[in-house]
Amino acid sequence: MQQALSFTFHRDELLPLADSHRESFLKATPFRHVVIDDFLPAEVLEPVLAEFPEPRDIEWQRFDNAREVKLALADTERMGPATRHLLAEFNGQVFIDFLERLTGIEHLVSDPHYDGGGLHQIRPGGFLKVHVDFNRHRRLDLDRRLNGLLYLNKDWEESYGGHLQLWNKDMTTCEHRILPVFNRFVLFATTDEANHGHPEPLTCPDDRARRSMALYYYTNGRPEEEVLDEHDTKFKQRPGEEWKTSFRQTARRWVPPALADLASRRK
């Protein structure tokens, strides 16, 4: 734990890493992104994983509909000390310098509120359909420019699923499927062409979950070619895909959660 709480990012380590990945980021398709494995010292992430809350431990924000079944936590008071420390480092000036060097996007601003970010958890059967993200932070009045995802899933097998899918602009082809393995960091530019998601229901064992740390970065304004009207998350259907509301999801609109869960199990 002490190593996790004393961990800090250093420019002499991060800036050469940014230089080595910048061309790959800028030329990536179907939109700008990069995948970096073994991103942090393992001893920094072990305590984060150990204190990661179970669904029953705290009050998570729950999404349960035809487009997403997942849990999210942005309230740092409900997180452990190693997690809070690491999130603060991701929001700090040294990591911002790294992101600006890697992406060429200047004047980045981190989000102390972790709006939409923080900790994410998807249990077996859960999913997040392909989408583009909301493009404005209403509280800060800033434009969303980058998504950072750090995966926390040890010994994650291909058969468990949970791949992050990157789709082309026209939603005709999935160009990349990224397995959410432990200590893998994914960074991508947030635009209205950045179609991404985890659309297939998770097939991991019942005692596992797809866990990640989500970080978003903003600027005051964005390039003219990227300027569009403000919008919330926009979900997009894959070829031949239909979104079906489950019995449980329908029942939750009308009856108390405990009764809906019981009815769903009996069905």
Side-chain angles (χ1 to χ4, degrees):
M1 173 65 79
Q2 188 57 41
Q3 286 179 296
L5 294 178
S6 62
F7 170 77
T8 56
F9 285 116
H10 296 281
R11 291 184 180 87
D12 59 355
E13 297 173 353
L14 285 183
L15 296 187
L17 184 66
D19 291 338
S20 67
H21 287 281
R22 181 171 184 178
E23 185 175 4
S24 175
F25 174 86
L26 294 175
K27 294 183 176 180
T29 61
F31 47 85
R32 289 168 291 164
H33 74 275
V34 69
V35 179
I36 306 176
D37 286 335
D38 301 319
F39 190 66
L40 295 172
E43 58 269 22
V44 173
L45 287 187
E46 292 288 356
V48 174
L49 188 58
E51 67 188 22
F52 201 98
E54 294 291 337
R56 63 182 177 276
D57 292 343
I58 61 168
E59 184 178 350
W60 288 78
Q61 185 179 8
R62 295 176 180 269
F63 300 85
D64 191 354
N65 55 66
R67 293 169 175 79
E68 53 186 336
V69 178
K70 69 174 188 177
L71 303 173
L73 177 64
D75 185 353
T76 57
E77 280 195 330
R78 298 176 181 175
M79 301 176 190
T83 304
R84 295 176 70 167
H85 177 78
L86 184 56
L87 283 171
E89 281 297 300
F90 276 121
N91 270 5
Q93 59 178 257
V94 175
F95 196 74
I96 294 295
D97 287 348
F98 162 73
L99 293 175
E100 292 182 342
R101 181 80 155 253
L102 172 60
T103 67
I105 300 174
E106 298 180 341
H107 311 302
L108 285 170
V109 178
S110 58
D111 176 18
H113 310 291
Y114 304 106
D115 187 16
L119 301 182
H120 291 172
Q121 181 169 197
I122 296 180
R123 307 296 293 182
F127 54 83
L128 176 61
K129 296 299 183 181
V130 177
H131 62 282
V132 293
D133 293 305
F134 66 85
N135 60 359
R136 293 279 296 175
H137 194 305
R138 292 173 180 170
R139 184 170 181 176
L140 300 180
D141 195 27
L142 295 172
D143 292 88
R144 185 165 167 179
R145 302 297 303 280
L146 291 172
N147 278 23
L149 300 171
L150 180 66
Y151 292 111
L152 303 171
N153 308 299
K154 297 189 75 173
D155 304 317
W156 194 261
E157 300 180 9
E158 189 84 22
S159 62
Y160 293 172
H163 299 78
L164 174 67
Q165 296 187 10
L166 308 185
W167 282 72
N168 65 354
K169 177 181 177 180
D170 299 327
M171 284 297 297
T172 57
T173 305
C174 174
E175 293 197 15
H176 296 282
R177 299 172 74 252
I178 302 166
L179 198 67
V181 298
F182 185 72
N183 208 2
R184 172 170 283 173
F185 182 69
V186 179
L187 180 74
F188 61 89
T190 311
T191 71
D192 271 29
E193 297 181 2
N195 299 314
H196 66 282
H198 152 37
E200 297 294 339
L202 199 62
T203 56
C204 66
D206 289 342
D207 62 345
R208 300 293 305 269
R210 180 186 189 271
R211 294 171 169 173
S212 60
M213 185 176 285
L215 308 134
Y216 307 143
Y217 302 90
Y218 300 80
T219 57
N220 182 13
R222 65 191 313 141
E224 184 177 351
E225 64 272 15
E226 293 183 9
V227 174
L228 293 169
D229 292 336
E230 179 179 335
H231 63 75
D232 292 327
T233 302
K234 291 182 178 180
F235 287 92
K236 301 185 179 183
Q237 289 180 314
R238 296 173 294 166
E241 183 177 46
E242 294 183 7
W243 294 332
K244 296 181 180 180
T245 301
S246 70
F247 174 84
R248 182 191 72 257
Q249 293 160 354
T250 301
R252 284 186 184 278
R253 300 175 187 171
W254 303 102
V255 301
L259 292 179
D261 285 341
L262 178 61
S264 179
R265 287 197 296 269
R266 287 180 175 175
K267 181 177 176 68

